[in-house]
Structures are given as C-alpha cells and as structure tokens.
Amino acid sequence: MTDHRLSAEQRGLRESATFDRVTISAIQRAARTGVYDIRGWGAKRALPHFDDLLFLGASMSRYPLEGYRERCGTDVVLGDLNAKHPLHLDIPVTIAGMSFGALSGRAKEALGRGASEAGTSTTTGDGGMTPEERGQSKHLVYQYLPSRYGMNPDDLRKADAIEIVLGQGAKPGGGGMLLGQKITERVARMRTLPQGVDQRSACRHPDWTGPDDLAIKIAEIRETTDWEKPVYVKVGATRTYYDVKLAVHAGADVVVVDGMQGGTAATQEVFIEHVGIPTLTAIPLAVQALQELGMHRKVQLIVSGGIRTGADVAKAMALGADAVAIGTAALIALGDNDPKWSAEYEALGSAAGYYDDFQDGQDPAGITTQDPELQQRFDPVEGGRRLANYLRVLTMEAQTIARACGKAHLTHLEPEDLVAVTIEAAAMARVPLAGTSWIPGGTGGL
Amino acid sequence: MDALTPHPTKGATAVHDVLELDLAERWLREVNGLLHQADLAADEVRILHPAGKHSVAVGLNKAMRVTVEGQVGYYAAGMNQLADVVINGNAGVGVAENMMSGSVLVRGDASQSAGATAHGGLLVVEGDAAARCGISMKGVDIVVGGSIGHMSAFMAQAGRLVVRGDAGEALGGSIYEARLYVRGTVASLGADCVAKEMRPEHHEELAGLLKSAGFESEDTSAYTRYGSARRLYNFHVDNTDAY
Ligand SMILES: Cc1cc2nc3c(=O)[nH]c(=O)nc-3n(C[C@H](O)[C@H](O)[C@H](O)COP(=O)(O)O)c2cc1C
C-alpha cells in the first residue's frame, strides 16, 4: 500500500532528469491541443547570469567612498551623438518597451508615473503610443517596429527618442504576438486589425532589409523629425558583436541589447528557451564592438534581460553598459504575481510567483489585460509609486556597490572591479575566475 | 532675388506662388527643413535635381503641392500628411511609406515596398511597382498603372490596391481586410488570399479609385477582386501548414 503522507522521493520514486514533470506535462499538453505553447515572461531555465559575478570592494589598494556623505553620480545622457535634444536621465535604469495591448492603458500610465518620478524614461511598444503613457512620461521613447501598428508621424514628433526594433531577447528573429482575447475594440482600432484575431506581427521590417538600408531608414527618421531626437536600435542578443557594429555604422545614437532572459508578452515557449544568448555574454560582445569602433560611451549601450537588483545594474554597468532597461521587474513592482491574488492565480491553473500567461488577458492583478473589470483592480497612482520606490532602491543599491568600489559615478565601474564564481561566467563576462587571473578564452575572443 | 522668394506665376484663376528648391545647390536637410516650416509662404514647391537622393520631401505635414523634377531614392514623400506630391520620375524603395493622408503620384516606376504600411491617402504609380507593393498597408489606396512584383500586399490590413497590369507571386500573403483589384494575371496567391466575387459595390469602388488616379475610361469588369479567406485569423490546429 502507498503511504500518501510520504513524498515521492521519500517513497523512493525517482524523477527522470531528461523527462522531468515539466517536460512530461508539456508533451501531454502538446498532444492534447496540437498547438505549441505560447506564454509571457522570459527564459525560465538556469543560465550563467549576474549572480555569477562578484565585486571586489575597496580595501588597501583602492579607496572607498563614504556612503551618504560622498557623492556617487547616477545620471546619464543618451543620444548626444547626433540629436539636437538628447535624453538627460537622473538614473541609468529605464523602462523597456511594453506594448499597450500587452499591458492595460492604466499599467502604461503607471509606468509613466513611476519613471517620471524617478527621473527616467519609458518606452512604447508594438501597437502605438497611448495618451495615458505620453501624458505621464517625462521622457518617452517611441518604438518603430516591423509591424508599424499605430505608427504615426505625429507620435514620432511627440516622442523624445525613437527606438528602431529589430528584435527582442525573448525571440530574436520573431515578430510580436497578441492573441485574440486581448484584441479588444480599442487595441484593434489602434492596430488597424479586426477585433479578436490572433495577431502575429511581421518579423522583418516592410521597407528595408540589412544594414545599408537601415542607414537610409535612420536618415529618413532623422529628416522627418528634423534631427531633434536620438535614434536607438534594439536587437535581441545573438550575433551581438556584429549587430552592434552594424547598428553603429548605420548611424544609431544608442544601441539596446536585450539578452535571452528578456521578458515578453507572448511568445512560443520553444523560442523563449532556445534562441538567443544570455545577457551576461552579450554585454562584453557589444562593448568590444563599440570599443573597436572608438564609439564606446559615444554611442550609448543599454542592456536588458533579467535585471532585478541594484547589483545587476552595477554589474551590467561595470561590464560597460551606459544604462539598463527593465521589463519583467517593472511589472512585478507594479504588482504582478502578488501573493494577494493567490486564489485567483490557482483558479487559472498557475500560482503567485509562477504566473506567466500574459498572453491570456486574464491577469488577476489587472496589468497584462484588456479586460475592463480586471483593469479596474489596478490603481495607476499606487502602481506608479511602487515603481518609483523600486527604481530608487535599484539606484541606491548600485550606488552602495559603486561607493564600495571607490567610484564617484556609476559609469566609473569597470570590469576590473569584477570577478566570476564560475568558469562559464568568467568566460562569458570576460572577467577572471575569483582568486585567479584566468579568463577562459581571453578578453578579446569571439 | 533671394532664391527663397516664391516666383509669382499667372495661374488660371489666381496668382500662384511657386518656390523652387534646387537639390544641386542646397543640402537635403535644408530643403526638408524648409518644407517642414509651418509658415512657408508658397502654394507650390518645385524640387529640382533630386538625383536619386533618399528621403526627399519626407515628413510633410500640411496641405501643399510639391513637385519633384526627376528620380528619387528611398522613402520619397515618406510619412506624408496632407501634402500632394508629384514625382516626375522613378521612385526608389518605400515611396510614400507610412503615408497618413494627402497624395503621392509617381509619373514613372516605383521600386520595392511602395506605399508600405501607409495608413491613408492615395498613392498612384503610373508605371510598374516592384516587389512588396502595399506591404502591411493600413488604409491607403494604391493604384498602379502597370504591374506589381512578388509578395505585394503581404499582411495588408486595410485599404485598397488596384493593379491595371499583372501581379507577381504570393499576392496578399496573410492578408487581413484590405481589398485588392487586379486586371491582369496573378502569378500566385499568398497564404489565406482568395479571389472573391465582384459585387456592384466593388465595381463602384473600383471605378472611383481608377477615376481618382486618372484612369477614368477603364472597364471594371476586366478586374478580379482578391481578399482574405479569414482562415488564419485565429490559431487552429488544422492550419499548421500555413504557420
Ligand atoms: C509584457 C511585455 C511586453 C513587451 N512588449 C515589447 C514590445 O512591444 N516591444 C519590444 O521591443 N519589447 C517588448 N518587450 C520586451 C522588453 O522591451 C524588454 O526587452 C524585456 O522585458 C527586458 O527583459 P526583462 O523583462 O528581463 O527586464 C516586452 C516585455 C514584456 C514583459
């Protein structure tokens, strides 16, 4: 007789490492539905990440700065290479592009409120600019995507910067996706689509291909907006060294590199988990490309994909980023996956801390939904305050580390301040394994 | 006389101020900057010697007439709003891309992606248009005097595309609610695009489009209408081949 008080392990049952329970349930789901799994969030597998790096604080040979008493600057200027009006941000943590459609208008408003309070920028997304977001965002970056949903030259002129999106870390090579449940009347109108279709955005831009064309496209956008606004180019991390070089050659003022852990509103699971390279390894590749062109710190580098803490911010910057962008963490700060909705997450077959069905539009927290009733649960003022708090904590944490390393500005952090605790991270981030001078693969390899 | 002073010419009804801007003498930036000036005092602007330059007359934002005398490169009259632009020559990639309103008339041929993602207005290409004509179109009307290349009207969402000649392979792949009218042959149809019946309202619509493009005398009964079968609008297990 089975004793049900004992766990499977206690009863001597052994789970297969190859066919574990998650895998088994995925096969069962595929067999049941005949359609691949689509979900939100980013890669869930374990990958070498910022946690595998540590800072060498100051001691005998380096002088630390006094916390609270000595200044540690956090401001950043983005896009001053060509634009008449570059962005001046107080903190180097920006809000990544998340579409209205994926998020409710109220969630977009909250992102704008929180970012403006903390002195940073927000970014539109696939589906156009909403008055909620423009109204609340002091600095708003307008995404220019393959789909061109809602793309409007008036909005281009209203933006503070323009981000040409080639790809996203969660799905480099894939287009946006928004399933029918979320294509409400307003979303459909903004995207010129029939209500309720399963929208699969284009993955290639409709009027240019390749780096030479991109240069002409960037020039067109500059001409249209009278050279006032910075032009960013966003790529999902894959062949990052080459992509960054080509983006800079094409005339980008800012390059955004999104690692494979980067979040998404709706993508095939197989795409999220199996395409792209980790954020950790993308940064040195991007920095190398910029340095070889003599453009490091002239063309700014924004890094995203799995940024959670001030330590992550500091590590990304020490590796050479000028700023970072956050998506998933910003949603969590707004109230996503809050245990107070536990019962409802369970009712949807998920749990607080696991919920990733952003594509479904039934978000109990009222953030990744277009449902009018669910949206009402979310208070944009309160959400904005929470986001501002979180952004301040990220900044103060990064400053704490920078001061400990003797740096009077976050951008003064450098690879020399870092060591790695695993061989993989040492090779990928190109910093020595702790206690050694060993960087597997060296510092300049590809 | 300052070159920026418009030359008054006697029009049929009233004095008509024409401003000439010569791209052989001025930077493109200066010319586009002038075209963007809200208080530009001219009824018509003639742009001379475009010499295949890219981004000529992009981002126009008010009712005005602009005539470009010669060949233009990529994105001529891109993102146009309200202006009526005539190109007396051939146009490169993406002419009138993302146009919102107004009109663009190309008196020659157009390269790829003519009228891409355009939300409104009227684009007329008197000659042929290459591949991807009307790709992702979102409400624009496009009339092509000759033939169009492959993958035209790919993911076309809204608006109307009229082709007086033939269409290349994969016309209207993943098309949404745009309506396509083709007089000649279609090499092949893209995913989910099908031929549809020409009902009286379609003949009427087509006649209106042809007329607005200057092809009044055309017989609409020679045309076939194409549009979406709407089978791919939602994920369905039986459509996996098409994904
Ligand atoms: C709900 C959601 C919607 C998103 N929508 C877009 C989008 O419209 N365009 C885009 O370029 N990236 C989009 N992204 C990706 C983010 O811009 C960013 O690259 C990513 O979230 C960064 O990784 P992180 O989530 O780990 O911070 C989206 C991400 C999320 C979570």
Side-chain angles (χ1 to χ4, degrees), chain A residues 41 96-99 102-103 124-126 143 145 163 165 167-169 234 258 261-265 304-307 325-329 331 358 368:
Chain A
W41 206 267
M98 292 182 276
S99 70
L103 303 188
T124 62
D126 205 2
Q143 284 200 331
L145 299 112
E163 180 169 298
V165 179
Q168 224 179 293
K234 176 177 180 176
D258 190 26
Q261 296 99 321
T264 173
S304 57
I307 303 279
I326 58 169
T328 306
L331 299 186
F358 300 163
T368 60

Side-chain angles (χ1 to χ4, degrees), chain A residues 134-400:
Chain A
R134 177 62 282 187
Q136 294 302 334
S137 297
K138 186 153 175 275
H139 311 278
L140 179 58
V141 183
Y142 186 45
Q143 284 200 331
Y144 188 78
L145 299 112
S147 71
R148 310 275 166 89
Y149 290 136
M151 161 55 208
N152 180 333
D154 286 335
D155 290 340
L156 207 62
R157 284 183 278 261
K158 270 186 231 155
D160 300 299
I162 294 142
E163 180 169 298
I164 302 180
V165 179
L166 273 77
Q168 224 179 293
K171 47 175 158 187
M177 218 179 225
L178 196 65
L179 299 191
Q181 306 87 295
K182 295 175 84 170
I183 310 274
T184 58
E185 195 276 327
R186 181 179 178 199
V187 174
R189 190 163 21 89
M190 278 183 71
R191 300 182 186 214
T192 329
L193 286 170
Q195 224 172 303
V197 298
D198 289 329
Q199 169 235 299
R200 285 152 289 153
S201 314
C203 62
R204 295 194 300 266
H205 280 264
D207 56 353
W208 64 272
T209 31
D212 296 337
D213 280 8
L214 176 58
I216 305 172
K217 178 48 79 178
I218 289 177
E220 184 207 6
I221 289 173
R222 290 199 198 285
E223 283 295 320
T224 302
T225 54
D226 293 313
W227 290 70
E228 287 175 358
K229 301 163 201 301
V231 178
Y232 301 11
V233 171
K234 176 177 180 176
V235 289
T238 56
R239 295 175 181 86
T240 304
Y241 169 79
Y242 298 101
D243 288 345
V244 170
K245 276 206 165 172
L246 292 168
V248 172
H249 273 298
D253 296 313
V254 174
V255 181
V256 183
V257 176
D258 190 26
M260 75 170 280
Q261 296 99 321
T264 173
T267 300
Q268 298 90 329
E269 152 98 9
V270 71
F271 212 150
I272 299 176
E273 297 287 352
H274 298 280
V275 185
I277 61 171
T279 307
L280 190 66
T281 195
I283 305 175
L285 292 171
V287 171
Q288 184 189 345
L290 290 166
Q291 283 172 339
E292 285 178 11
L293 293 169
M295 297 306 262
H296 190 218
R297 306 283 182 219
K298 293 185 184 138
V299 166
Q300 286 80 28
L301 173 65
I302 301 181
V303 167
S304 57
I307 303 279
R308 307 150 297 174
T309 63
D312 292 347
V313 176
K315 288 169 186 175
M317 293 186 72
L319 290 175
D322 295 276
V324 300
I326 58 169
T328 306
L331 299 186
I332 296 169
L334 294 185
D336 170 64
N337 269 293
D338 190 324
K340 81 175 172 196
W341 305 112
S342 279
E344 298 193 41
Y345 287 126
E346 306 274 344
L348 293 169
S350 186
Y354 295 84
Y355 183 70
D356 59 12
D357 289 322
F358 300 163
Q359 81 290 347
D360 247 4
Q362 300 183 50
D363 183 358
I367 296 167
T368 60
T369 181
Q370 297 300 319
D371 181 291
E373 274 168 36
L374 290 173
Q375 280 184 54
Q376 289 306 319
R377 293 182 177 185
F378 177 75
D379 176 358
V381 176
E382 164 67 14
R385 197 159 47 233
R386 291 167 56 99
L387 177 62
N389 282 342
Y390 172 61
L391 288 167
R392 286 194 198 99
V393 170
L394 287 181
T395 307
M396 288 189 295
E397 286 178 344
Q399 283 174 300
T400 302

